[in-house]
Amino acid sequence: MRDIILGIDVGGTNIKLGLVNPGGQIFSRSRIVTKDHTAPKELIKALIGEITNLLKINQLEKKQVKGIGIGLPGLIDVEKGIVKLLPNIAGWRDVPLEKILRQSLDMEIRLENDVNMITLGEWRFGAGQGRKDLVCMTLGTGVGAGLILNDALYRGEGFAAGEIGHMPLNETGVVCSCGGVGCFERYVGNAALEKEASRIFNRSIKLEEVSQLAAKGEKRALAFWHEAGVRIGNGLTATVNLLNPRLIIIGGGVSNSHRFLFPAIRETIKARAMSVQGSMVRVVRAKLGSDAGIIGACVLLENESRHDG
Ligand SMILES: [Zn+2]
């Protein structure tokens, strides 16, 4: 029996671990607080400790687990198993994490970008089941996307494809952390949306509260989410025209406001995309929530041999 997978989702706040069965269900979980151990050496030590602990609690031997899939928030060379850069976790540059963990644990290890992990999870077990092509966008502090093209994850030659948040929309817009100007994320990322909401309500306000107000029918809140949906739809229109996907999955915190947001996204794409692309595409909410990044490990470990094409 080697059909259990250990999925790990490394975030700037928490590192979530989960044991996943072949059906994509998480049956045991644990968690590490990221800021307690940020430097590679400490974080790796904490990871090894927590992995060992989770297996022990579940009375599993290493050989009963097919492998460990780890999603990380940054640029990952998945062929060499190297973490090239984690922009939001200090000290992570060119860390050969796969080799270090394999030597310490003597288990199969695979690394992947976190948004790609979410995409794999949604594709196989969530909103994208059975699709050959899809775009999975995560809306939050960061705005990213994973691409499934022709039945496979598309990573790009430098493993950096899918940076939908850094599509330039405005050549004279706000300067972005990526070095660009007027990036999509500067208009639809959480920081931008909260700033806009605070301007509208004339006080500091969280997006959850704007959603609660919208649920009560508050006019400014409804108008705010409509406008956000139009902005998101505008950015997605470029992707729809470029890739002609049948499905766009939207996840992340903001997608919890889907009731108010999604109608405007759909209307905007329909109105602005080219006719063939616009008429084919469906926009749906992600299904797996914050578990997608752990469940995606199952897909990553599907073929045990490396460089399987
Ligand atoms: Zn940018």
Side-chain angles (χ1 to χ4, degrees):
M1 187 187 75
R2 273 172 65 80
D3 50 6
I4 293 166
I5 300 285
L6 205 172
I8 301 178
D9 183 7
V10 177
T13 311
N14 286 303
I15 298 172
K16 294 177 287 182
L17 297 86
L19 286 164
V20 192
N21 69 23
Q25 279 117 19
I26 301 175
F27 62 89
S28 181
R29 299 167 187 268
S30 67
R31 181 182 289 257
I32 305 171
V33 178
T34 312
K35 68 170 166 46
D36 293 348
H37 342 253
T38 51
K41 222 174 163 183
E42 281 98 72
L43 191 51
I44 290 168
K45 195 176 158 207
L47 260 180
I48 292 171
E50 203 56 44
I51 291 166
T52 311
N53 196 31
L54 189 62
L55 296 182
K56 198 172 155 195
I57 290 168
N58 287 278
Q59 295 176 321
L60 283 169
E61 288 179 40
K62 284 175 186 173
K63 64 175 191 300
Q64 290 175 284
V65 177
K66 190 169 176 184
I68 303 177
I70 308 174
L72 298 122
L75 185 60
I76 313 300
D77 182 332
V78 301
E79 277 173 18
K80 296 199 176 104
I82 294 172
V83 179
K84 301 295 286 179
L85 177 70
L86 303 183
N88 299 319
I89 305 180
W92 281 77
R93 191 180 277 270
D94 293 320
V95 179
L97 181 63
E98 194 175 290
K99 193 173 148 198
I100 296 170
L101 291 179
R102 188 178 289 133
Q103 283 172 351
S104 302
L105 292 162
D106 191 27
M107 294 174 79
E108 183 66 28
I109 310 287
R110 291 294 175 85
L111 309 184
E112 186 53 87
N113 166 269
D114 59 348
V115 178
N116 284 347
M117 279 278 265
I118 290 168
T119 304
L120 289 172
E122 288 290 343
W123 177 39
R124 196 56 57 85
F125 298 104
Q129 287 179 61
R131 298 289 179 164
K132 269 182 68 191
D133 298 274
L134 62 84
V135 175
C136 178
M137 179 169 76
T138 55
L139 277 171
T141 309
V143 175
L147 308 172
I148 301 292
L149 300 176
N150 268 332
D151 248 349
L153 179 66
Y154 181 80
R155 297 182 174 100
E157 295 259 350
F159 313 103
E163 291 292 356
I164 198 171
H166 300 284
M167 280 194 312
L169 298 185
N170 180 354
E171 63 188 78
T172 58
V174 190
V175 174
C176 181
S177 56
C178 74
V181 168
C183 292
F184 187 35
E185 189 175 291
R186 297 298 132 219
Y187 298 92
V188 302
N190 278 0
L193 291 180
E194 279 193 6
K195 195 174 165 198
E196 176 69 5
S198 299
R199 190 190 62 76
I200 291 169
F201 287 90
N202 229 343
R203 66 183 168 91
S204 169
I205 186 166
K206 294 276 173 209
L207 295 176
E208 296 82 59
E209 192 186 341
V210 187
S211 284
Q212 288 160 8
L213 290 170
K216 289 177 192 153
E218 211 276 349
K219 282 206 173 71
R220 287 175 301 175
L222 288 168
F224 166 83
W225 284 118
H226 178 84
E227 180 59 30
V230 170
R231 287 188 196 181
I232 294 164
N234 275 333
L236 280 173
T237 296
T239 305
V240 168
N241 285 349
L242 180 69
L243 298 176
N244 186 202
R246 272 201 186 271
L247 188 69
I248 293 177
I249 301 170
I250 301 180
V254 171
S255 69
N256 294 332
S257 309
H258 62 104
R259 270 197 293 159
F260 320 112
L261 196 58
F262 279 34
I265 295 175
R266 293 185 183 113
E267 282 161 25
T268 304
I269 292 173
K270 215 175 175 64
R272 296 206 58 189
M274 296 174 80
S275 62
V276 170
Q277 295 94 318
S279 62
M280 285 172 78
V281 70
R282 285 181 62 229
V283 179
V284 302
R285 192 182 175 204
K287 259 191 189 163
L288 304 178
S290 55
D291 286 344
I294 292 175
I295 295 170
C298 289
V299 191
L300 208 59
L301 268 296
E302 239 162 35
N303 301 299
E304 271 185 274
S305 60
R306 287 192 69 70
H307 309 300
D308 43 271

